[in-house]
Amino acid sequence: MAKPMSPETIAAQAGGLVDETTGSIIPPIQTATTYIRDPDNQYRRGYIYGRPDTPNVRHAESVLQQLEGAAACFLFGSGMAAATTAFLALERPAHVVAPEVMYWALKKWLADDARTLDIEATFVDATNPEAIKAAIQSGRTRMVWIETPANPMWGISDIVDIASLAHGAGAILGVDSTVATPVLTQPLALGADIVMHSATKYLNGHSDVLAGALAFARKDAVFDRAARMRSNLGAVLAPFEAYLLIRGMRTLHVRVRHASASALRLARHFAQDPRIVEVLYPGLQSDPGHAVAARQMQGGFSGMLSVRVKAGEAAAVRTAANVKIWKRATSLGGVESLIEHRASVEGPGTPCPPDLLRLSVGLEDPADLIADLEQALG
Ligand SMILES: *Cc1c(COP(=O)(O)O)cnc(C)c1O
């Protein structure tokens, strides 16, 4: 048998699909919401109705499933739809352990809304396996959730260690791998049970699609409930968005490697700058997460870093106001570099330091990005 295709080849060719009708090597966009029934009352082609299944969504799911080495993958209309589905698919009542520092909107949902749905979250320092161990309640905890690297300080959680802690207590491990992408980390191979992506970010990569994904290690009970929720709650992805996502994933590997190399260059540069107190980036040897990151990330440490401005919050906001090349906007993982005063976006209660600027490094020449930030720091 031939050697299995590498993920890079799978992504570049979008799984190698060729349209059977025309021979096109690019998938047609199938906008139909309904499909013809065979005269003998069967649906042999596998498509019935657009909510549960459309060819473009299935195609995108199959590419991501292969990149994550998953048993199955589902796409949703946003990352939040995917993440909340992972929690709602747990057997309830459910206790979950989640990071103190994580994607803010999901943390807010867990803290404020999930309780009314019989989901109780304990938030801990997820860069410390001892803290996770102490928070797990054997027999009651259904899932440990981590994000690595985690917004917006890029703390690293050890997937292998935490998977074994979770499994030892009868819980599963869910990983928000949005920032790592399957290029840099394969959480399922390291013991995770569910991988979640905001496909809005690196997977699509062009800041023009909202999408989310769950990839599953096994087709188990949680998978079955997530499958029913995807179909019945209807938070699905539309065909055109799935088409764009497939197009984005074709260049995933080159984009993520380039952004990671540029981010490392920026991190090293600004670590020497007296106007910066601290550069938060797991690629720096001085970073507390570096050793674990070096073990579980291959080929780079992502395109995301944060810098803390010595002169304080007002100076950080002013720096973001002064940039000319960086775009002052939220979100991440696109081809254009973004800068954000993160505490302003997260609002009251955020663990994000007020002097922190979050940087999403895109595909521009890193020398231009460095020069622009240099002049903006003033
Ligand atoms: C953006 C993001 C989400 C939420 O995804 P949406 O597509 O915006 O709904 C979740 N986790 C992380 C790490 C993100 O960056």
Side-chain angles (χ1 to χ4, degrees):
M1 212 182 74
K3 176 178 169 298
M5 270 189 290
S6 86
E8 203 159 348
T9 304
I10 292 164
Q13 297 200 354
L17 182 133
V18 174
D19 178 49
E20 280 179 23
T21 311
T22 63
S24 83
I25 62 163
I26 297 299
I29 301 173
Q30 179 52 264
T31 56
T33 54
T34 192
Y35 294 84
I36 200 89
R37 203 187 255 281
D38 298 329
D40 62 357
N41 224 27
Q42 303 294 304
Y43 272 114
R44 283 193 190 76
R45 280 166 279 216
Y47 294 102
I48 299 173
Y49 185 58
R51 176 162 27 75
D53 293 302
T54 64
N56 297 101
V57 171
R58 278 201 189 168
H59 181 193
E61 286 173 343
S62 108
V63 172
L64 187 54
Q65 175 189 336
Q66 293 174 69
L67 297 185
E68 289 291 359
C73 173
F74 291 139
L75 284 170
F76 297 83
S78 71
M80 282 298 286
T84 52
T85 296
F87 286 95
L88 293 168
L90 299 172
E91 195 185 317
R92 283 178 266 160
H95 174 254
V96 299
V97 177
E100 251 158 29
V101 180
M102 64 181 281
Y103 183 72
W104 186 242
L106 184 59
K107 186 177 182 192
K108 287 288 277 175
W109 179 80
L110 279 173
D112 299 345
D113 301 329
R115 195 172 297 273
T116 63
L117 302 161
D118 270 337
I119 299 165
E120 184 203 332
T122 301
F123 298 99
V124 299
D125 174 4
T127 64
N128 175 5
E130 288 303 315
I132 291 189
K133 190 174 174 187
I136 292 176
Q137 301 173 21
S138 202
R140 249 198 102 223
T141 302
R142 304 242 186 253
M143 179 159 71
V144 176
W145 183 264
I146 57 175
E147 179 181 327
T148 184
N151 260 287
M153 279 129 93
W154 320 116
I156 299 293
S157 293
D158 188 325
I159 299 171
V160 170
D161 260 19
I162 298 169
S164 96
L165 289 175
H167 295 158
I172 61 171
L173 174 64
V175 178
D176 181 340
S177 196
T178 297
V179 169
T181 80
V183 177
L184 305 179
T185 307
Q186 315 246 293
L188 299 180
L190 297 174
D193 303 282
I194 300 179
V195 173
M196 175 253 151
H197 287 282
S198 168
T200 312
K201 314 295 168 54
Y202 288 104
L203 293 180
N204 179 62
H206 294 74
S207 308
D208 55 6
V209 169
L210 268 181
L214 294 178
F216 297 84
R218 296 168 307 281
K219 293 190 175 181
D220 56 10
V222 175
F223 162 85
D224 283 338
R225 284 190 291 269
R228 290 204 304 280
M229 286 172 53
R230 172 181 171 281
S231 166
N232 296 336
L233 303 185
V236 294
L237 197 64
F240 182 57
E241 278 66 27
Y243 168 86
L244 285 176
L245 177 57
I246 291 164
R247 180 181 163 128
M249 287 194 291
R250 285 174 173 255
T251 56
L252 179 67
H253 290 74
V254 282
R255 283 187 291 102
V256 168
R257 285 183 191 140
H258 185 93
S260 299
S262 295
L264 181 59
R265 192 165 145 192
L266 264 84
R268 287 183 174 152
H269 179 91
F270 286 102
Q272 307 299 325
D273 190 312
R275 294 164 295 182
I276 300 298
V277 197
E278 191 183 11
V279 174
L280 303 163
Y281 188 65
L284 292 176
Q285 267 173 8
S286 55
D287 189 89
H290 180 72
V292 175
R295 216 161 46 231
Q296 73 186 18
M297 300 179 84
Q298 298 95 40
F301 298 91
S302 96
M304 296 304 301
L305 71 153
S306 294
V307 295
R308 297 184 60 186
V309 179
K310 191 175 247 160
E313 174 165 17
V317 172
R318 207 163 47 239
T319 301
N322 287 343
V323 293
K324 299 194 165 63
I325 295 172
W326 296 79
K327 296 286 175 271
R328 201 165 36 255
T330 196
S331 197
L332 60 96
V335 297
E336 61 291 306
S337 293
L338 304 181
I339 186 166
E340 176 174 48
H341 180 248
R342 189 69 195 163
S344 296
V345 137
E346 298 195 356
T350 173
C352 177
D355 57 5
L356 180 144
L357 291 171
R358 187 179 84 169
L359 306 176
S360 170
V361 179
L363 303 188
E364 304 91 338
D365 184 338
D368 287 346
L369 297 174
I370 289 173
D372 190 29
L373 201 50
E374 285 273 0
Q375 68 75 25
L377 279 162

